[in-house]
Amino acid sequence: MPYHKNKQQAFQAAQQGIEDVQGLYTEIVQDGASYGHQLKHLKNEVNEAYQQIENALEVASDHQRAQLERFRSDLETIIHEVNLPDN
């Protein structure tokens, strides 16, 4: 993924990242046999989404910045809900 993007592309990448994380989060079945695998996949997606948000924040408009901060807050909530360990 190229480092230099316009504001809209960077924002859309961050938005897609948070949507991917939210989708995985809703699919996790905590008592299922593949829970550990799902959790690892979720952790990878969370890390990628955080990076996309950070990249987008570098070029974001004020309106986009507010939404990106909400995305980051949503990620923190998901991490807390599943007790996802830090890196």
Side-chain angles (χ1 to χ4, degrees):
M1 184 177 296
Y3 178 74
H4 296 288
K5 295 182 176 184
N6 70 36
K7 292 178 186 180
Q8 190 60 34
Q9 287 174 319
F11 181 80
Q12 287 173 342
Q15 188 173 33
Q16 184 62 51
I18 190 71
E19 289 172 3
D20 291 347
V21 167
Q22 289 170 332
L24 281 172
Y25 173 69
T26 59
E27 291 175 12
I28 286 181
V29 178
Q30 291 189 16
D31 59 353
S34 64
Y35 177 69
H37 176 73
Q38 290 173 324
L39 200 58
K40 183 177 180 181
H41 189 190
L42 178 63
K43 181 179 178 182
N44 290 339
E45 290 295 326
V46 164
N47 288 337
E48 185 175 329
Y50 265 124
Q51 188 60 53
Q52 291 167 333
I53 290 168
E54 291 303 314
N55 290 344
L57 281 168
E58 291 180 15
V59 295
S61 67
D62 289 341
H63 176 74
Q64 288 173 331
R65 186 171 304 280
Q67 184 63 44
L68 290 165
E69 293 295 341
R70 284 192 289 276
F71 290 166
R72 188 169 18 201
S73 177
D74 290 347
L75 284 178
E76 291 167 1
T77 298
I78 288 171
I79 290 167
H80 177 73
E81 288 291 320
V82 297
N83 295 317
L84 196 63
D86 292 337
N87 299 328

Coordinates of all heavy atoms in Angstrom, one line a residue:
M1 N 0.9 -1.2 0.0 CA 0.0 0.0 0.0 C 0.9 1.2 0.0 O 1.7 1.4 0.9 CB -0.9 0.0 1.2 CG -1.9 1.1 1.3 SD -3.0 1.0 2.7 CE -3.8 -0.5 2.4
P2 N 0.8 2.1 -1.0 CA 1.6 3.3 -1.1 C 1.4 4.2 0.1 O 0.3 4.3 0.6 CB 1.2 4.0 -2.3 CG 0.2 3.2 -3.0 CD -0.2 2.0 -2.1
Y3 N 2.5 4.8 0.6 CA 2.5 5.6 1.8 C 1.7 6.9 1.5 O 0.9 7.4 2.2 CB 3.9 5.9 2.3 CG 3.9 6.9 3.4 CD1 3.5 6.4 4.7 CD2 4.2 8.2 3.3 CE1 3.5 7.3 5.8 CE2 4.2 9.1 4.4 CZ 3.9 8.6 5.6 OH 3.9 9.4 6.7
H4 N 2.0 7.5 0.3 CA 1.4 8.8 -0.1 C 0.0 8.5 -0.8 O 0.0 8.0 -1.8 CB 2.3 9.6 -1.0 CG 3.5 10.0 -0.3 ND1 3.6 10.9 0.7 CD2 4.8 9.6 -0.4 CE1 4.8 11.1 1.2 NE2 5.6 10.2 0.5
K5 N -1.0 9.0 -0.2 CA -2.4 8.9 -0.8 C -3.1 10.2 -0.6 O -2.7 11.0 0.3 CB -3.2 7.8 0.0 CG -2.7 6.4 -0.1 CD -3.6 5.5 0.6 CE -3.2 4.1 0.5 NZ -4.2 3.2 1.1
N6 N -4.1 10.4 -1.4 CA -4.9 11.6 -1.1 C -5.8 11.3 0.1 O -5.9 10.2 0.6 CB -5.7 12.0 -2.3 CG -6.8 11.1 -2.7 OD1 -7.5 10.5 -1.9 ND2 -7.0 10.9 -4.0
K7 N -6.4 12.4 0.6 CA -7.2 12.3 1.8 C -8.3 11.2 1.7 O -8.5 10.5 2.6 CB -7.8 13.6 2.2 CG -6.8 14.7 2.6 CD -7.5 16.0 2.8 CE -6.4 17.1 3.1 NZ -7.0 18.4 3.3
Q8 N -9.0 11.2 0.6 CA -10.1 10.3 0.5 C -9.7 8.9 0.4 O -10.3 8.0 1.1 CB -10.9 10.7 -0.8 CG -12.3 9.9 -0.9 CD -13.2 10.3 0.3 OE1 -13.2 11.4 0.8 NE2 -14.0 9.3 0.7
Q9 N -8.6 8.6 -0.3 CA -8.1 7.2 -0.3 C -7.7 6.7 1.0 O -8.0 5.6 1.4 CB -7.0 7.1 -1.3 CG -7.4 7.1 -2.8 CD -6.2 7.2 -3.7 OE1 -5.2 7.8 -3.4 NE2 -6.3 6.4 -4.8
A10 N -7.0 7.6 1.8 CA -6.5 7.2 3.1 C -7.6 7.0 4.0 O -7.7 6.0 4.8 CB -5.6 8.3 3.6
F11 N -8.6 7.8 4.0 CA -9.8 7.7 4.8 C -10.6 6.4 4.5 O -11.0 5.7 5.4 CB -10.7 8.9 4.7 CG -12.0 8.8 5.5 CD1 -11.9 9.2 6.9 CD2 -13.2 8.4 5.0 CE1 -13.0 9.1 7.7 CE2 -14.3 8.3 5.8 CZ -14.2 8.6 7.2
Q12 N -10.7 6.1 3.2 CA -11.5 4.9 2.8 C -10.7 3.7 3.2 O -11.4 2.7 3.6 CB -11.7 4.9 1.3 CG -12.8 5.9 0.9 CD -12.9 6.1 -0.7 OE1 -12.0 5.7 -1.4 NE2 -14.0 6.6 -1.1
A13 N -9.4 3.7 3.2 CA -8.6 2.5 3.6 C -8.9 2.3 5.1 O -9.1 1.1 5.6 CB -7.2 2.7 3.3
A14 N -8.9 3.4 5.9 CA -9.1 3.2 7.3 C -10.5 2.8 7.6 O -10.8 1.9 8.5 CB -8.8 4.6 8.0
Q15 N -11.5 3.3 6.9 CA -12.9 2.9 7.0 C -13.0 1.4 6.7 O -13.7 0.7 7.4 CB -13.7 3.8 6.1 CG -15.2 3.6 6.3 CD -16.0 4.6 5.5 OE1 -15.6 5.0 4.4 NE2 -17.1 5.0 6.0
Q16 N -12.4 1.0 5.6 CA -12.5 -0.5 5.3 C -11.9 -1.3 6.4 O -12.4 -2.4 6.7 CB -11.8 -0.7 3.9 CG -12.0 -2.2 3.5 CD -13.4 -2.6 3.2 OE1 -14.1 -1.9 2.5 NE2 -13.8 -3.7 3.8
G17 N -10.8 -0.8 6.9 CA -10.1 -1.6 8.0 C -11.0 -1.8 9.2 O -11.0 -2.9 9.7
I18 N -11.6 -0.7 9.6 CA -12.5 -0.8 10.8 C -13.7 -1.7 10.5 O -14.2 -2.5 11.3 CB -13.0 0.6 11.3 CG1 -13.6 0.4 12.7 CG2 -13.9 1.3 10.4 CD1 -12.8 0.1 13.8
E19 N -14.2 -1.6 9.2 CA -15.3 -2.5 8.9 C -14.9 -4.0 8.9 O -15.7 -4.9 9.3 CB -15.9 -2.1 7.5 CG -16.6 -0.8 7.5 CD -17.0 -0.3 6.1 OE1 -16.7 -1.0 5.1 OE2 -17.6 0.8 6.0
D20 N -13.7 -4.3 8.4 CA -13.2 -5.6 8.4 C -13.1 -6.1 9.9 O -13.5 -7.3 10.2 CB -11.8 -5.7 7.8 CG -11.8 -5.5 6.3 OD1 -13.0 -5.5 5.7 OD2 -10.8 -5.3 5.7
V21 N -12.5 -5.3 10.8 CA -12.4 -5.7 12.2 C -13.8 -5.9 12.8 O -14.0 -6.9 13.5 CB -11.6 -4.6 13.0 CG1 -11.8 -4.8 14.5 CG2 -10.2 -4.6 12.6
Q22 N -14.7 -5.0 12.5 CA -16.1 -5.2 13.1 C -16.7 -6.5 12.6 O -17.4 -7.2 13.3 CB -16.9 -4.0 12.8 CG -16.5 -2.8 13.6 CD -17.1 -1.5 13.1 OE1 -17.5 -1.3 12.0 NE2 -17.2 -0.5 14.1
G23 N -16.5 -6.8 11.3 CA -17.1 -8.0 10.8 C -16.5 -9.3 11.4 O -17.2 -10.2 11.8
L24 N -15.2 -9.3 11.6 CA -14.6 -10.4 12.3 C -15.0 -10.5 13.7 O -15.3 -11.6 14.2 CB -13.0 -10.3 12.3 CG -12.3 -10.6 11.0 CD1 -10.9 -10.2 11.0 CD2 -12.4 -12.1 10.7
Y25 N -15.1 -9.4 14.4 CA -15.5 -9.4 15.8 C -16.9 -10.0 15.9 O -17.1 -10.8 16.8 CB -15.5 -7.9 16.3 CG -16.1 -7.8 17.7 CD1 -15.4 -8.3 18.8 CD2 -17.3 -7.1 17.9 CE1 -15.9 -8.1 20.1 CE2 -17.8 -7.0 19.1 CZ -17.1 -7.5 20.2 OH -17.7 -7.3 21.5
T26 N -17.8 -9.7 15.0 CA -19.2 -10.2 15.2 C -19.2 -11.7 14.8 O -20.2 -12.4 15.3 CB -20.2 -9.4 14.3 OG1 -19.8 -9.5 12.9 CG2 -20.3 -8.0 14.7
E27 N -18.3 -12.2 14.1 CA -18.2 -13.6 13.7 C -17.6 -14.5 14.7 O -17.7 -15.7 14.7 CB -17.5 -13.8 12.4 CG -18.3 -13.2 11.2 CD -17.5 -13.3 9.9 OE1 -16.5 -14.0 9.9 OE2 -18.0 -12.6 8.9
I28 N -16.8 -13.9 15.6 CA -16.1 -14.8 16.6 C -17.1 -15.5 17.5 O -18.0 -15.0 18.1 CB -15.1 -14.0 17.5 CG1 -13.9 -13.6 16.6 CG2 -14.7 -14.7 18.7 CD1 -12.9 -12.8 17.4
V29 N -16.8 -16.8 17.6 CA -17.6 -17.7 18.5 C -16.7 -18.1 19.6 O -15.8 -18.9 19.4 CB -18.2 -18.9 17.7 CG1 -19.0 -19.8 18.7 CG2 -19.0 -18.5 16.5
Q30 N -16.9 -17.6 20.8 CA -15.9 -17.7 21.8 C -15.8 -19.2 22.3 O -14.7 -19.6 22.8 CB -16.3 -16.9 23.0 CG -16.1 -15.4 22.7 CD -16.2 -14.5 23.9 OE1 -16.2 -14.9 25.0 NE2 -16.4 -13.2 23.6
D31 N -16.8 -20.0 22.2 CA -16.7 -21.4 22.6 C -16.4 -22.3 21.4 O -16.4 -23.5 21.6 CB -17.9 -21.8 23.4 CG -19.2 -21.7 22.6 OD1 -19.1 -21.2 21.4 OD2 -20.2 -22.2 23.0
G32 N -16.1 -21.8 20.3 CA -15.9 -22.6 19.1 C -14.4 -23.2 19.1 O -13.5 -22.6 19.7
A33 N -14.2 -24.2 18.4 CA -12.9 -24.8 18.3 C -11.9 -23.9 17.6 O -10.7 -24.0 17.9 CB -13.0 -26.1 17.5
S34 N -12.3 -23.0 16.8 CA -11.4 -22.2 16.1 C -11.2 -20.8 16.7 O -10.7 -19.9 16.1 CB -11.8 -22.0 14.6 OG -13.0 -21.4 14.5
Y35 N -11.7 -20.6 18.0 CA -11.6 -19.3 18.6 C -10.2 -18.7 18.6 O -10.0 -17.6 18.3 CB -12.2 -19.4 20.0 CG -12.1 -18.1 20.8 CD1 -12.9 -17.1 20.5 CD2 -11.2 -18.0 21.9 CE1 -12.9 -15.9 21.1 CE2 -11.1 -16.8 22.6 CZ -12.0 -15.7 22.2 OH -11.9 -14.5 22.9
G36 N -9.2 -19.5 18.9 CA -7.8 -19.0 19.0 C -7.4 -18.5 17.6 O -6.8 -17.5 17.5
H37 N -7.7 -19.3 16.6 CA -7.4 -18.8 15.2 C -8.1 -17.5 14.9 O -7.5 -16.6 14.3 CB -7.7 -19.9 14.2 CG -7.5 -19.5 12.8 ND1 -6.2 -19.4 12.3 CD2 -8.3 -19.2 11.8 CE1 -6.3 -19.0 11.0 NE2 -7.6 -18.9 10.7
Q38 N -9.4 -17.5 15.2 CA -10.2 -16.3 14.9 C -9.6 -15.1 15.7 O -9.5 -14.0 15.1 CB -11.6 -16.5 15.3 CG -12.4 -17.5 14.4 CD -13.8 -17.8 14.9 OE1 -14.0 -17.8 16.1 NE2 -14.7 -17.9 14.0
L39 N -9.2 -15.3 16.9 CA -8.7 -14.2 17.7 C -7.3 -13.7 17.1 O -7.1 -12.5 17.1 CB -8.4 -14.7 19.2 CG -8.3 -13.6 20.2 CD1 -9.6 -12.7 20.3 CD2 -8.1 -14.3 21.6
K40 N -6.5 -14.6 16.6 CA -5.3 -14.2 16.0 C -5.5 -13.4 14.7 O -4.9 -12.4 14.5 CB -4.4 -15.5 15.7 CG -3.1 -15.1 15.1 CD -2.3 -16.4 14.8 CE -1.0 -16.0 14.2 NZ -0.2 -17.2 13.9
H41 N -6.5 -13.8 13.9 CA -6.9 -13.1 12.7 C -7.4 -11.7 13.1 O -7.0 -10.7 12.5 CB -7.9 -13.9 12.0 CG -8.2 -13.4 10.6 ND1 -9.3 -13.8 9.8 CD2 -7.6 -12.4 9.8 CE1 -9.3 -13.2 8.7 NE2 -8.3 -12.3 8.7
L42 N -8.2 -11.7 14.1 CA -8.8 -10.4 14.6 C -7.6 -9.4 15.0 O -7.6 -8.3 14.7 CB -9.8 -10.6 15.7 CG -10.4 -9.3 16.3 CD1 -11.2 -8.5 15.3 CD2 -11.2 -9.6 17.5
K43 N -6.7 -10.0 15.7 CA -5.5 -9.2 16.2 C -4.8 -8.6 15.0 O -4.4 -7.4 15.0 CB -4.6 -10.0 17.1 CG -3.4 -9.2 17.6 CD -2.5 -10.0 18.5 CE -1.4 -9.2 18.9 NZ -0.4 -10.0 19.7
N44 N -4.6 -9.4 14.0 CA -3.9 -8.9 12.8 C -4.7 -7.8 12.1 O -4.1 -6.8 11.7 CB -3.6 -10.1 11.8 CG -2.6 -11.0 12.3 OD1 -1.8 -10.7 13.2 ND2 -2.6 -12.3 11.8
E45 N -6.0 -8.0 12.0 CA -6.8 -7.0 11.4 C -6.8 -5.7 12.2 O -6.9 -4.6 11.6 CB -8.2 -7.5 11.2 CG -8.3 -8.6 10.1 CD -8.0 -8.1 8.7 OE1 -8.3 -7.0 8.4 OE2 -7.4 -8.9 7.9
V46 N -6.9 -5.8 13.5 CA -6.8 -4.6 14.4 C -5.5 -3.9 14.2 O -5.6 -2.6 14.0 CB -7.0 -5.0 15.9 CG1 -6.6 -3.9 16.8 CG2 -8.5 -5.5 16.1
N47 N -4.4 -4.6 14.1 CA -3.1 -3.9 13.9 C -3.1 -3.2 12.6 O -2.6 -2.1 12.5 CB -2.0 -4.9 14.1 CG -1.8 -5.4 15.5 OD1 -2.1 -4.7 16.4 ND2 -1.2 -6.5 15.6
E48 N -3.6 -3.8 11.6 CA -3.7 -3.2 10.2 C -4.6 -2.0 10.2 O -4.2 -1.0 9.7 CB -4.1 -4.2 9.2 CG -4.1 -3.7 7.8 CD -4.4 -4.7 6.7 OE1 -4.1 -5.9 7.0 OE2 -5.0 -4.3 5.7
A49 N -5.7 -2.1 10.9 CA -6.7 -1.0 10.9 C -6.0 0.2 11.7 O -6.2 1.3 11.3 CB -8.0 -1.4 11.6
Y50 N -5.3 -0.1 12.8 CA -4.7 1.0 13.5 C -3.7 1.7 12.6 O -3.6 2.9 12.6 CB -3.9 0.5 14.7 CG -4.7 0.5 16.0 CD1 -4.9 -0.6 16.8 CD2 -5.2 1.7 16.5 CE1 -5.6 -0.5 18.0 CE2 -5.9 1.8 17.7 CZ -6.1 0.7 18.4 OH -6.8 0.7 19.6
Q51 N -2.9 1.0 11.8 CA -1.9 1.6 10.9 C -2.6 2.4 9.9 O -2.2 3.5 9.5 CB -1.1 0.5 10.3 CG 0.1 1.1 9.5 CD 1.0 1.9 10.3 OE1 1.5 1.5 11.4 NE2 1.3 3.1 9.9
Q52 N -3.7 1.9 9.3 CA -4.5 2.6 8.3 C -5.0 3.9 8.9 O -5.0 5.0 8.2 CB -5.6 1.8 7.7 CG -5.1 0.6 6.9 CD -6.1 -0.4 6.6 OE1 -7.1 -0.6 7.3 NE2 -6.0 -1.1 5.5
I53 N -5.5 3.9 10.1 CA -6.0 5.1 10.8 C -4.9 6.1 11.0 O -5.1 7.3 10.7 CB -6.7 4.7 12.1 CG1 -8.0 4.0 11.8 CG2 -7.0 6.0 13.0 CD1 -8.6 3.3 13.1
E54 N -3.8 5.6 11.5 CA -2.6 6.5 11.7 C -2.2 7.2 10.4 O -1.9 8.4 10.3 CB -1.5 5.8 12.3 CG -1.7 5.3 13.8 CD -2.1 6.5 14.7 OE1 -1.4 7.5 14.6 OE2 -3.0 6.3 15.4
N55 N -2.1 6.4 9.3 CA -1.7 7.0 8.0 C -2.8 8.0 7.5 O -2.4 9.1 7.0 CB -1.6 5.9 6.9 CG -0.4 5.0 7.2 OD1 0.5 5.3 7.9 ND2 -0.4 3.8 6.5
A56 N -4.0 7.7 7.7 CA -5.1 8.6 7.3 C -5.1 9.9 8.1 O -5.4 11.0 7.6 CB -6.5 7.9 7.4
L57 N -4.8 9.8 9.4 CA -4.7 11.0 10.3 C -3.7 12.0 9.8 O -3.8 13.2 10.0 CB -4.5 10.6 11.7 CG -5.7 10.0 12.5 CD1 -5.2 9.4 13.8 CD2 -6.7 11.1 12.7
E58 N -2.6 11.5 9.1 CA -1.6 12.4 8.7 C -2.1 13.4 7.6 O -1.5 14.5 7.4 CB -0.4 11.6 8.1 CG 0.3 10.9 9.2 CD 1.5 10.1 8.7 OE1 1.9 10.3 7.5 OE2 2.0 9.2 9.4
V59 N -3.1 13.0 6.8 CA -3.6 13.9 5.7 C -5.1 14.2 5.9 O -5.6 14.8 5.0 CB -3.3 13.2 4.4 CG1 -1.9 13.0 4.1 CG2 -4.1 11.8 4.3
A60 N -5.7 13.9 7.0 CA -7.1 14.0 7.1 C -7.6 15.5 7.3 O -6.9 16.3 7.8 CB -7.6 13.2 8.3
S61 N -8.8 15.7 6.8 CA -9.5 17.0 7.0 C -10.0 16.9 8.4 O -10.0 15.9 9.1 CB -10.7 17.1 6.0 OG -11.7 16.2 6.3
D62 N -10.5 18.0 8.9 CA -11.1 18.1 10.3 C -12.2 17.1 10.5 O -12.3 16.4 11.5 CB -11.5 19.5 10.7 CG -10.4 20.4 10.8 OD1 -9.2 20.0 11.1 OD2 -10.6 21.7 10.8
H63 N -13.1 17.0 9.5 CA -14.3 16.1 9.6 C -13.8 14.7 9.6 O -14.2 13.8 10.4 CB -15.2 16.3 8.4 CG -16.3 15.4 8.4 ND1 -17.4 15.4 9.3 CD2 -16.6 14.3 7.6 CE1 -18.2 14.4 9.0 NE2 -17.8 13.7 8.0
Q64 N -12.8 14.3 8.7 CA -12.3 13.0 8.6 C -11.6 12.6 9.9 O -11.7 11.5 10.4 CB -11.3 12.8 7.4 CG -12.0 12.8 6.1 CD -11.0 12.9 4.9 OE1 -9.9 13.4 5.1 NE2 -11.4 12.3 3.8
R65 N -10.8 13.6 10.5 CA -10.1 13.4 11.7 C -11.0 13.0 12.8 O -10.8 12.0 13.6 CB -9.3 14.6 12.1 CG -8.4 14.5 13.3 CD -7.5 15.7 13.5 NE -6.8 16.0 12.3 CZ -5.6 15.4 11.9 NH1 -5.1 14.5 12.7 NH2 -5.0 15.8 10.8
A66 N -12.2 13.6 12.9 CA -13.2 13.3 14.0 C -13.6 11.8 13.8 O -13.8 11.1 14.7 CB -14.3 14.2 14.0
Q67 N -13.9 11.5 12.5 CA -14.4 10.1 12.3 C -13.3 9.1 12.5 O -13.6 8.0 13.1 CB -14.9 10.0 10.8 CG -15.5 8.6 10.5 CD -16.7 8.3 11.3 OE1 -17.6 9.2 11.4 NE2 -16.8 7.1 11.8
L68 N -12.1 9.4 12.1 CA -11.0 8.5 12.4 C -10.7 8.3 13.9 O -10.4 7.2 14.3 CB -9.7 9.0 11.7 CG -9.7 9.0 10.2 CD1 -8.6 9.9 9.7 CD2 -9.6 7.6 9.7
E69 N -10.9 9.3 14.7 CA -10.8 9.2 16.1 C -11.9 8.2 16.7 O -11.7 7.4 17.6 CB -10.9 10.5 16.8 CG -9.7 11.4 16.5 CD -8.4 10.9 17.1 OE1 -8.4 10.0 18.0 OE2 -7.3 11.3 16.6
R70 N -13.1 8.3 16.1 CA -14.2 7.4 16.4 C -13.8 6.0 16.1 O -14.1 5.0 16.8 CB -15.5 7.8 15.8 CG -16.1 9.0 16.5 CD -17.6 9.2 16.1 NE -17.7 9.7 14.7 CZ -17.6 11.0 14.3 NH1 -17.3 11.9 15.3 NH2 -17.7 11.3 13.1
F71 N -13.2 5.8 14.9 CA -12.8 4.5 14.5 C -11.8 3.9 15.5 O -11.9 2.7 15.9 CB -12.1 4.5 13.1 CG -13.0 4.8 11.9 CD1 -12.4 5.1 10.7 CD2 -14.3 4.7 12.0 CE1 -13.2 5.4 9.6 CE2 -15.1 5.0 10.9 CZ -14.6 5.3 9.7
R72 N -10.8 4.7 15.9 CA -9.8 4.3 16.9 C -10.5 3.9 18.2 O -10.2 2.9 18.8 CB -8.8 5.4 17.1 CG -7.6 4.9 17.9 CD -6.4 5.7 18.0 NE -6.6 7.1 17.7 CZ -5.5 7.9 17.3 NH1 -4.3 7.3 17.3 NH2 -5.7 9.1 17.0
S73 N -11.5 4.7 18.6 CA -12.2 4.4 19.8 C -13.0 3.0 19.7 O -13.0 2.2 20.6 CB -13.2 5.5 20.1 OG -14.0 5.2 21.2
D74 N -13.6 2.8 18.5 CA -14.2 1.5 18.2 C -13.3 0.4 18.3 O -13.6 -0.7 18.9 CB -14.9 1.5 16.9 CG -16.1 2.5 16.7 OD1 -16.6 3.0 17.8 OD2 -16.5 2.7 15.6
L75 N -12.1 0.5 17.8 CA -11.1 -0.5 17.9 C -10.7 -0.8 19.4 O -10.6 -2.0 19.8 CB -9.8 -0.2 17.2 CG -9.8 -0.2 15.6 CD1 -8.5 0.2 15.1 CD2 -10.2 -1.6 15.2
E76 N -10.6 0.2 20.1 CA -10.2 0.0 21.6 C -11.3 -0.7 22.3 O -11.1 -1.5 23.2 CB -9.9 1.4 22.2 CG -8.6 2.0 21.7 CD -8.4 3.4 22.1 OE1 -9.3 4.0 22.7 OE2 -7.4 4.0 21.6
T77 N -12.6 -0.4 21.9 CA -13.7 -1.1 22.5 C -13.7 -2.6 22.2 O -13.9 -3.4 23.1 CB -15.0 -0.5 22.1 OG1 -15.1 0.9 22.5 CG2 -16.2 -1.2 22.6
I78 N -13.4 -2.9 20.9 CA -13.4 -4.3 20.5 C -12.2 -5.0 21.2 O -12.4 -6.1 21.7 CB -13.2 -4.4 19.0 CG1 -14.5 -4.0 18.3 CG2 -12.8 -5.8 18.6 CD1 -14.5 -3.8 16.8
I79 N -11.1 -4.4 21.3 CA -9.9 -5.0 22.0 C -10.3 -5.3 23.5 O -10.0 -6.4 24.0 CB -8.7 -4.0 21.9 CG1 -8.2 -4.0 20.5 CG2 -7.6 -4.5 22.9 CD1 -7.2 -2.9 20.3
H80 N -11.0 -4.4 24.1 CA -11.4 -4.6 25.5 C -12.4 -5.7 25.6 O -12.3 -6.5 26.5 CB -11.9 -3.3 26.1 CG -12.4 -3.4 27.4 ND1 -11.6 -3.5 28.5 CD2 -13.7 -3.5 27.9 CE1 -12.3 -3.6 29.6 NE2 -13.6 -3.6 29.3
E81 N -13.4 -5.7 24.7 CA -14.4 -6.7 24.7 C -13.9 -8.2 24.6 O -14.4 -9.1 25.2 CB -15.4 -6.5 23.6 CG -16.3 -5.3 23.8 CD -17.3 -5.4 25.0 OE1 -17.8 -6.5 25.2 OE2 -17.5 -4.5 25.8
V82 N -12.9 -8.4 23.8 CA -12.4 -9.7 23.6 C -11.1 -10.0 24.4 O -10.4 -11.0 24.2 CB -12.2 -10.1 22.1 CG1 -13.5 -10.1 21.4 CG2 -11.1 -9.2 21.5
N83 N -10.7 -9.0 25.2 CA -9.4 -9.1 26.0 C -8.3 -9.4 25.1 O -7.4 -10.3 25.4 CB -9.6 -10.1 27.1 CG -10.6 -9.7 28.1 OD1 -10.6 -8.6 28.5 ND2 -11.4 -10.7 28.5
L84 N -8.2 -8.7 23.9 CA -7.2 -9.0 23.0 C -5.8 -8.4 23.5 O -5.8 -7.3 23.9 CB -7.5 -8.2 21.7 CG -6.8 -8.6 20.4 CD1 -7.0 -10.1 20.0 CD2 -7.2 -7.7 19.3
P85 N -4.8 -9.3 23.6 CA -3.6 -8.8 24.1 C -2.9 -7.8 23.2 O -3.1 -7.8 22.0 CB -2.7 -10.1 24.3 CG -3.3 -11.0 23.3 CD -4.8 -10.7 23.2
D86 N -2.1 -6.9 23.8 CA -1.3 -6.0 23.0 C -0.3 -6.8 22.2 O 0.2 -7.8 22.7 CB -0.6 -5.0 23.9 CG -1.6 -4.0 24.6 OD1 -2.7 -3.9 24.0 OD2 -1.2 -3.4 25.6
N87 N 0.0 -6.2 21.0 CA 1.0 -6.8 20.1 C 1.6 -8.0 20.8 O 2.3 -8.8 20.5 CB 2.0 -5.8 19.7 CG 1.3 -4.7 18.9 OD1 0.3 -4.9 18.3 ND2 1.9 -3.5 19.1

